[in-house]
Amino acid sequence: MDNLELRTEADAILAELVGAPGSSARLREDQWQAVAALVEERRRALVVQRTGWGKSAVYFVATALLRRRGSGPTVIISPLLALMRNQVEAAARAGIQARTINSANPEEWDAIYGEVERGETDVLLVSPERLNSVDFREQVLPKLAATTGLLVVDEAHCISDWGHDFRPDYRRLRAMLAELAPGVPVLATTATANARVTADVAEQLGTGAGEALVLRGPLDRESLRLGVVRLPDAAHRLGWLAEHLDELQGSGIIYTLTVAAAEEATVFLRQRGFNVASYTGRTENADRLQAEVDLQENRVKALIATSALGMGFDKPDLGFVIHLGSPSSPIAYYQQVGRAGRGVEHADVLLLPGKEDEAIWRYFADTAFPPEAQVRQTLSALADAGRPLSVPVLEAAVDLRRTRLETMLKVLDVDGAVKRVKGGWASTGQPWAYDAERYAWVARQRAAEQQAMRDYVSTTGCRMEFLRRQLDDEGAVPCGRCDNCAGVWADSSVSAETLTGAAKELDRPGVEIEPRRMWPTGMSALGIDLKGRIPAKEQCSTGRALGRLSDIGWGNRLRPLLADDAPDAPVPDDVLRAAVAVLADWARSPGGWAPDVADASARPVGVVAVPSSTRPQLVGSLAQGIASIGRLPFLGALTYTEANGAHPARRSNSAQRLRTLSGTFAVPEDLAAALAGSAGPVLLVDDYTETGWTLAVAARLLRQAGGGQVLPLVLAASG
């Protein structure tokens, strides 16, 4: 078959893919160049093109052509679950049988593997997390590598730790690439890779050789009109959404930096009559699926989403993208706004930055590779054990939070120092070098990205040109459409009535604090005899906090109060009043003060404070103020034991946090006497809770001293 005949066949497949069989649909020349390289020449290619360029068309057309010529199934590695679902539907239009393996459909995995082995599946979409599953790696991956006809790595920038969205699971692709049969083509695609990330991805995927094809196109999006609306506070930003959302074309996405902010915005906009849906990491899978369908069919005005939705949503007529708060990277920002305006002539993109943005960046910045001492400590723990250790057990040996520990282990796995096996992680005994220079460079890169995002907000130059230059787009020129090029086009006004409503919503204090029910795994290794379920008579009850530090309402007021450099001082009057309001609402809620006892109307018998080495005035005045206003006895505070002294407030995993707290507190004699024989609940007051272990340990001591139910009340909770 000559090149012209192959092109004609490819265009016919494209027409079926877009739902217009027999039409004159044609691949663009750059798309055809990629398809021809994969099908005719069986080459490896790296495609860096803007969102909406048609990368999925390349691999689906190439798949159909290769399958007709006897090749095995295409394997697509993609982190975008929402996009996977869209792509499966699109592939079906072209007669391509596509299936997906991800965390949302484990009950289907065995059946899908059978279909692949029988040759009934043309495309298998796999989430990168599967690559690090022991069973998948040992039983499925070798078979896939032996039979794959085309390997596609979608969102390939995730491979590079120089980029904004590094995912160590992607590094497992090296093993699969090495096991591919000779002549199997490989396609890597991304819309957000600057020159450094592109080179790194090319090297890691083996697409950096001279015979590989690299297609890098201009990243302008002519349909997008970019703007920034700078408003004084969170209430103005919520009010702006309520007054101007209807002015935006069609339906779209409102991104927030935190789950709490997404939930706050969703509640307020629904109160104002908007049909919106929340889409976060807390959203149940079934609700996510329904939200996606509702947005696709324009039954909602907007999804209010965190990065859980990310860039993986395929809706060509998406009319707008708004960011309620600045992402920490202009590259991540470009990726998210790129979902808009793919199939329409005009789409609006607006950024509403907030004063709290940088505090949220810092909170979520705990992703840098750990210091060498902690890495060596982990390697030693695995080597000394002589058997696989689970992550919970490792937490008892290494003072790293779970997500950071898991990420570190995945990197060490790729580096060959550890391996994931059934039962956890094991040492390989292979030598390993700490690349301090690279890790430091990555940290500097993160800081540079944050500065670039500040510069994007304040720039007087073209906003699209700014983003394109961040991605090393050599063709970047002024767009002529953004608010700096064409003049401010977004009205920043908010009426007094709407502003009052938004402020009232954000001022409503009170979130639940779930108590700890189980002791961490592995405490015996630390010499602490605690394991299994915490006895019911030693647990604290569900508590309350004024707000979360990630809120755009109370979070903004609590962060300065609880900052590391904040001076200790008595609790502000407005904060004390809010705490009292939370207590009053709590008392009126179903179950009242003590849902676990027969008398649900029982009032607390008194107030107890958690001791604080950093904010004693704040905690003490809060506890005594609540006692005074609530006409409750102030029973005093727990004390620090002489052996352990004040416990440091630091971000640790559960095992290490409990180890630090064990033996730290004591119940003084006068407090014990007040508690003895008391059946009523006790109100336990502290300033902040992150892991919940301070409250759990304090509650256990109070209950062992004779107290009744322990009701925790804190100013702020994390998350």
Side-chain angles (χ1 to χ4, degrees), residues 516-602:
R516 286 290 186 173
R517 307 291 191 193
M518 302 287 292
W519 296 117
T521 302
M523 296 308 297
S524 60
L526 298 174
I528 299 172
D529 187 21
L530 296 173
K531 63 181 179 179
R533 178 171 292 276
I534 302 173
K537 292 184 178 181
E538 295 183 357
Q539 293 181 13
C540 63
S541 297
T542 300
R544 295 293 190 276
L546 265 68
R548 300 184 182 93
L549 288 185
S550 56
D551 292 345
I552 57 175
W554 270 100
N556 283 345
R557 300 168 72 173
L558 294 170
R559 276 190 296 271
L561 193 64
L562 301 177
D564 290 341
D565 57 355
D568 182 32
V571 62
D573 289 343
D574 63 325
V575 175
L576 178 59
R577 288 194 298 270
V580 172
V582 169
L583 287 171
D585 183 65
W586 189 2
R588 292 189 296 266
S589 65
W593 290 111
D596 299 329
V597 297
D599 183 9
S601 63

Side-chain angles (χ1 to χ4, degrees), residues 206-217:
T207 54
E211 70 274 10
L213 173 68
V214 178
L215 287 174
R216 184 179 176 91

